[in-house]
Amino acid sequence: MDSRIHDILRRNQLSVTASREKILNLFLTNTRALAHADIEHKAGERFDRVTVYRTLQTFVEKGILHTIPTADNSVKYALCKNDCFEGHHHDNHYHFICSVCGKTECLEEFIIPSVKLPKEYLANNVEIVVNGICGACRKK
Amino acid sequence: MDSRIHDILRRNQLSVTASREKILNLFLTNTRALAHADIEHKAGERFDRVTVYRTLQTFVEKGILHTIPTADNSVKYALCKNDCFEGHHHDNHYHFICSVCGKTECLEEFIIPSVKLPKEYLANNVEIVVNGICGACRKK
DNA sequence: TAACTGTCTGCAACAAAGTTGCAAAATATA
DNA sequence: TATATTTTGCAACTTTGTTGCAGACAGTTA
């Protein structure tokens, strides 16, 4: 298994267990974001539902993964870039969901534009999710 | 009951029923967005869960309400402005959620900035949700 | 305003999603 | 390798959301 996996877990003070290695590996080998169900029903693997919930929760807390809110109200998870650390997510990129193939991806190369707010209001975090059709699906 | 309620329902070819009137009234008398649970457990009212689901779904389909995706993955509903009509939401505003009081509101006065996408990608809908602290909570 | 027609409601039963406690198993540390 | 600590997986449960259907209700027409 990829040596990065062991490093990531240890760097976050997490014991290296089989489930954590496998789940983290899914994210390292998939560019697209994954939902809870994608992981639980992954072909060739059988994870306990509870373990998946707890693992994902731990990874988010540690800043290894971040969540992507979607319009249909299903949470997806994606790898954070290296500069996230415990409790402080620095994901100032936005997300794209293809309405044809369902692919969900982080658009790391684009920075979130600044948004205006009413006086006295304080912004903490800005989530942007773009729905549309990805390049691959448009060519079909 | 507010005469606007009757008008809105009739304009959308919906029969005027007690549940629909009451639920719509909640939105007209609350400026903040409401979640399914807010409605179901509204003090003094007892709605059947199924009726609430179906009513909200119908209102969204008709363009009376729109949904707001939230980071914690719970859908909230808010009134659409008048120019939404069946199947075509024109909510090009964004949403603010106060992390102190939980208030969720539509920032109707600000237009969604244009977002950049990779070549060949097509944007259909852009959802922006700002998390932060509202003016009232900052003053406390 | 009575009768008819189509829509809406509420119940029951179910399916899916998420949570909690706990004993056994695995990991980390010394 | 032994011990302390963390993690897993099961069972049982709660919450959330869905479907079918019979009875109730709203809207229309005479």
Side-chain angles (χ1 to χ4, degrees):
Chain A
M1 181 104 35
D2 197 326
S3 73
R4 281 179 298 168
I5 292 172
H6 189 277
D7 292 348
I8 292 172
L9 291 175
R10 299 269 57 197
R11 193 190 313 141
N12 288 284
Q13 297 100 43
L14 293 174
S15 357
V16 178
T17 67
S19 324
R20 284 176 180 166
E21 286 185 311
K22 287 181 196 162
I23 292 174
L24 192 44
N25 190 48
L26 289 178
F27 284 98
L28 286 167
T29 54
N30 272 279
T31 48
R32 48 180 285 181
L34 301 170
H36 175 96
D38 295 330
I39 296 161
E40 199 183 322
H41 306 121
K42 199 72 188 179
E45 294 290 351
R46 192 137 311 165
F47 298 108
D48 185 76
R49 246 152 40 80
V50 180
T51 301
V52 177
Y53 278 117
R54 289 197 275 226
T55 304
L56 291 174
Q57 190 181 305
T58 304
F59 285 180
V60 170
E61 278 165 12
K62 292 293 186 179
I64 300 170
L65 298 179
H66 65 271
T67 56
I68 305 173
T70 64
D72 68 337
N73 212 39
S74 67
V75 201
K76 300 233 175 187
Y77 297 85
L79 272 180
C80 284
K81 287 184 293 184
N82 302 337
D83 50 6
C84 281
F85 54 91
E86 191 157 354
H88 291 78
H89 285 274
H90 296 286
D91 298 294
N92 59 343
H93 60 279
Y94 48 91
H95 301 102
F96 183 88
I97 302 177
C98 176
S99 53
V100 177
C101 65
K103 179 175 70 175
T104 302
E105 55 188 342
C106 300
L107 297 180
E108 311 259 4
E109 64 271 40
F110 303 113
I111 299 298
I112 285 195
S114 70
V115 293
K116 286 177 192 157
L117 287 179
K119 269 186 191 170
E120 313 284 346
Y121 276 52
L122 195 67
N124 190 19
N125 181 265
V126 180
E127 279 288 353
I128 301 189
V129 178
V130 182
N131 257 273
I133 305 175
C134 73
C137 287
R138 283 191 74 192
K139 283 174 192 155
K140 280 172 199 163
Chain B
M1 182 105 35
D2 196 327
S3 72
R4 281 179 298 167
I5 292 173
H6 191 276
D7 292 348
I8 293 173
L9 292 174
R10 301 269 55 199
R11 193 190 313 141
N12 288 283
Q13 296 100 46
L14 293 173
S15 1
V16 179
T17 67
S19 325
R20 285 178 180 163
E21 284 184 313
K22 286 181 196 162
I23 292 174
L24 192 45
N25 189 48
L26 289 177
F27 284 97
L28 286 167
T29 54
N30 271 279
T31 49
R32 47 179 287 181
L34 300 170
H36 175 96
D38 296 331
I39 295 161
E40 199 183 322
H41 306 121
K42 199 72 189 179
E45 293 291 351
R46 191 137 311 164
F47 298 108
D48 184 75
R49 246 153 40 78
V50 179
T51 300
V52 177
Y53 279 116
R54 290 198 273 225
T55 303
L56 291 174
Q57 190 182 305
T58 305
F59 284 180
V60 170
E61 278 164 12
K62 292 292 185 180
I64 300 170
L65 298 179
H66 65 271
T67 56
I68 305 173
T70 64
D72 70 336
N73 214 39
S74 67
V75 202
K76 301 230 174 188
Y77 298 83
L79 273 180
C80 284
K81 287 183 292 184
N82 303 335
D83 50 6
C84 281
F85 54 93
E86 190 158 353
H88 292 78
H89 285 275
H90 296 287
D91 298 294
N92 59 344
H93 60 279
Y94 47 92
H95 300 104
F96 183 88
I97 302 177
C98 176
S99 54
V100 177
C101 66
K103 179 176 68 175
T104 303
E105 55 187 342
C106 300
L107 298 180
E108 311 259 4
E109 64 270 42
F110 303 113
I111 298 298
I112 285 194
S114 69
V115 294
K116 287 177 193 159
L117 287 180
K119 269 185 193 171
E120 315 283 346
Y121 277 51
L122 194 67
N124 189 18
N125 181 264
V126 180
E127 278 289 354
I128 301 190
V129 178
V130 182
N131 256 274
I133 304 174
C134 73
C137 287
R138 282 190 72 192
K139 283 174 192 155
K140 278 173 200 161

